[in-house]
Amino acid sequence: MAEFWYNLQTHEIEEDAQSDWRKLIGPYPTRAEAERALEKVAQRNQAWDADGEQ
């Protein structure tokens, strides 16, 4: 089964990691989830920041 990765340098979705892992976020089970990678990162960062403020 394919995995999808978001490439931070090209801002493109890769099916099965093709680039250097340091440039990738993932894996995600679907292309749609990989397309929302930066949104998920932002949400997690906000959650972590909120936990740190308590």
Side-chain angles (χ1 to χ4, degrees), residues 15-39:
E15 185 172 341
D16 297 324
Q18 299 170 22
S19 299
D20 185 317
W21 65 270
R22 293 174 288 184
K23 299 176 186 174
L24 301 175
I25 300 176
Y28 295 95
T30 65
R31 178 175 292 276
E33 288 187 66
E35 290 170 349
R36 294 189 306 272
L38 294 182
E39 180 183 325

